Amino acid sequence: MDREDTLKRLKSIEGHVRGVARMVENDAYCIDLLRQIQAIQAALNKVSAKVLDDHLHSCLITAIRGEDPDERERVLKEISEVYEMTIKV
Amino acid sequence: MDREDTLKRLKSIEGHVRGVARMVENDAYCIDLLRQIQAIQAALNKVSAKVLDDHLHSCLITAIRGEDPDERERVLKEISEVYEMTIKV
Amino acid sequence: MDREDTLKRLKSIEGHVRGVARMVENDAYCIDLLRQIQAIQAALNKVSAKVLDDHLHSCLITAIRGEDPDERERVLKEISEVYEMTIKV
Amino acid sequence: MDREDTLKRLKSIEGHVRGVARMVENDAYCIDLLRQIQAIQAALNKVSAKVLDDHLHSCLITAIRGEDPDERERVLKEISEVYEMTIKV
């Protein structure tokens, strides 16, 4: 169900990207292009936030409750890395 | 020519979004999804940077050299707004 | 006057950073620290937006109306670069 | 020890903000101001990344291993929220 929602969002983002390509072909105003691209990025961010939330509620819980300290460390490190990549100025 | 390059990039981004959808369908690992979405965001950023650069070299120059102070102010304000939207935490 | 406003904002940001240091010393909750740091980032973004806006309305106009194409290109390139650094994922 | 490192970073960021204020007083070039502000933001991001990493390795592990499902949900939700605030376009 959640997966269906994510797929629907990605489908819509794909169409949005195609729409921006059409705008480029029709010589749309640059600033309008930039605004549409920002809207696509906001939509992608929502997908990312959803995917991370799922991850925290599944893999992360499993890893932290599991017996393997290396696996736990690996999962925590991945989350830190994703966060660092996200905030990099 | 520049337009061709932008269209090619958007085409590739569209394919990338479709690829992420396939990954979701195939239950890919969450962190791999996040990394692919970040790659798409980086590709969109490159398109944005290119579009802004074109804008600065065309509409902006025309507006600043033109006789209409309102038009000039409008164009400068748009650039400020795009920048503000981009940096908003 | 604008300069006074910018200086006041920077003064307040400096105090905010000091406040976060005190929170660290008092073992504040990590998430509260993160929220305060995000507030500082937002305040810095406002200063940046203001500085860029000033720049567009002064140096940029001068450069574009000036006779020196190299100087004009330099100024446009700087703005593109600042934008690219800002949006980099 | 980690706390000492964080405090040292915050001290240095505070000095950096003061340096930007001095640049403003001395009418520094706008683009140089923007670059310095971006450097400060990058330094703040490093502090954030460190704080989040600490949080994942302490409070999060405690909450997930604890008996209280509400507390666990609260901690996971906070992390999701911090991430969402961070990526907001």
Side-chain angles (χ1 to χ4, degrees):
Chain A
M1 199 174 81
D2 268 351
R3 205 170 68 162
E4 285 317 305
D5 176 66
T6 302
L7 286 171
K8 220 158 71 181
R9 284 173 190 270
L10 288 169
K11 201 80 201 158
S12 146
I13 289 167
E14 197 194 317
H16 207 156
V17 174
R18 214 159 31 232
V20 170
R22 258 193 310 272
M23 287 174 74
V24 171
E25 285 171 340
N26 297 332
D27 286 318
Y29 185 49
C30 310
I31 298 290
D32 292 334
L33 289 174
L34 290 176
R35 285 185 186 132
Q36 290 307 315
I37 293 173
Q38 287 182 335
I40 292 172
Q41 293 189 306
L44 282 168
N45 282 343
K46 273 196 193 141
V47 174
S48 279
K50 187 73 194 54
V51 169
L52 182 76
D53 197 61
D54 287 351
H55 182 62
L56 298 177
H57 282 87
S58 54
C59 314
L60 174 70
I61 292 184
T62 309
I64 288 184
R65 290 192 174 154
E67 303 294 319
D68 183 350
D70 290 349
E71 170 66 5
R72 185 181 69 224
E73 189 47 40
R74 196 184 59 73
V75 168
L76 291 177
K77 200 163 164 238
E78 280 174 349
I79 295 173
S80 283
E81 279 170 5
V82 162
Y83 182 72
E84 261 186 88
M85 275 186 63
T86 305
I87 57 172
K88 195 157 285 165
V89 168
Chain B
M1 202 174 80
D2 268 351
R3 204 169 69 162
E4 285 317 303
D5 176 65
T6 301
L7 286 171
K8 220 158 71 181
R9 283 173 191 271
L10 288 169
K11 200 82 202 157
S12 147
I13 289 167
E14 196 193 317
H16 207 156
V17 173
R18 211 155 36 230
V20 170
R22 257 193 311 272
M23 288 173 73
V24 171
E25 285 171 340
N26 297 331
D27 287 319
Y29 185 48
C30 310
I31 298 290
D32 291 335
L33 290 174
L34 290 176
R35 285 186 186 132
Q36 290 308 314
I37 293 173
Q38 286 182 335
I40 293 172
Q41 300 274 31
L44 284 167
N45 282 343
K46 273 197 193 141
V47 174
S48 279
K50 188 72 192 55
V51 169
L52 182 76
D53 198 60
D54 287 351
H55 182 62
L56 297 178
H57 282 85
S58 54
C59 315
L60 174 69
I61 291 184
T62 309
I64 289 185
R65 291 194 174 153
E67 303 295 318
D68 182 349
D70 290 350
E71 170 65 4
R72 184 181 71 225
E73 191 46 41
R74 194 184 60 74
V75 168
L76 291 177
K77 199 162 165 238
E78 279 174 349
I79 294 174
S80 283
E81 279 170 5
V82 162
Y83 182 71
E84 262 187 89
M85 275 186 63
T86 305
I87 56 172
K88 195 156 287 164
V89 168
Chain C
M1 200 173 81
D2 268 351
R3 204 169 69 162
E4 286 317 304
D5 176 66
T6 300
L7 286 171
K8 220 158 71 182
R9 285 173 190 271
L10 288 169
K11 201 81 201 157
S12 146
I13 289 167
E14 196 194 318
H16 207 156
V17 173
R18 213 159 32 234
V20 171
R22 258 192 310 273
M23 288 173 72
V24 171
E25 284 172 340
N26 297 332
D27 287 318
Y29 185 47
C30 310
I31 297 292
D32 292 335
L33 289 175
L34 290 176
R35 285 185 186 132
Q36 290 307 315
I37 294 173
Q38 286 181 336
I40 293 172
Q41 300 274 30
L44 284 167
N45 282 342
K46 273 196 192 141
V47 175
S48 280
K50 188 72 192 54
V51 169
L52 183 76
D53 198 60
D54 287 351
H55 183 63
L56 297 177
H57 283 86
S58 54
C59 315
L60 175 70
I61 291 184
T62 309
I64 288 184
R65 290 191 174 156
E67 302 295 318
D68 183 349
D70 290 350
E71 170 66 5
R72 185 180 70 224
E73 190 45 40
R74 195 184 60 73
V75 168
L76 291 176
K77 200 164 165 235
E78 279 175 349
I79 295 173
S80 283
E81 278 169 7
V82 162
Y83 182 72
E84 260 186 271
M85 275 186 63
T86 305
I87 57 172
K88 195 158 286 164
V89 168
Chain D
M1 200 173 78
D2 268 351
R3 205 170 67 161
E4 285 317 304
D5 176 66
T6 301
L7 286 171
K8 220 158 72 183
R9 285 172 191 270
L10 288 169
K11 201 80 201 157
S12 145
I13 289 166
E14 197 193 317
H16 207 156
V17 173
R18 214 156 34 232
V20 171
R22 260 193 309 273
M23 288 174 72
V24 171
E25 286 171 338
N26 298 330
D27 287 319
Y29 185 48
C30 311
I31 297 291
D32 292 336
L33 290 174
L34 291 176
R35 285 186 186 130
Q36 291 307 315
I37 293 173
Q38 287 182 336
I40 292 171
Q41 294 191 305
L44 282 169
N45 283 343
K46 272 197 194 143
V47 174
S48 279
K50 188 72 193 56
V51 169
L52 182 76
D53 198 59
D54 287 352
H55 182 63
L56 297 177
H57 282 86
S58 54
C59 315
L60 174 70
I61 291 184
T62 309
I64 288 184
R65 289 194 176 152
E67 302 295 318
D68 184 348
D70 290 349
E71 169 67 3
R72 186 181 69 224
E73 190 46 40
R74 195 184 60 74
V75 168
L76 291 177
K77 198 162 167 241
E78 280 174 348
I79 295 173
S80 283
E81 279 170 5
V82 162
Y83 182 73
E84 261 186 90
M85 274 186 65
T86 306
I87 56 173
K88 194 156 289 163
V89 167

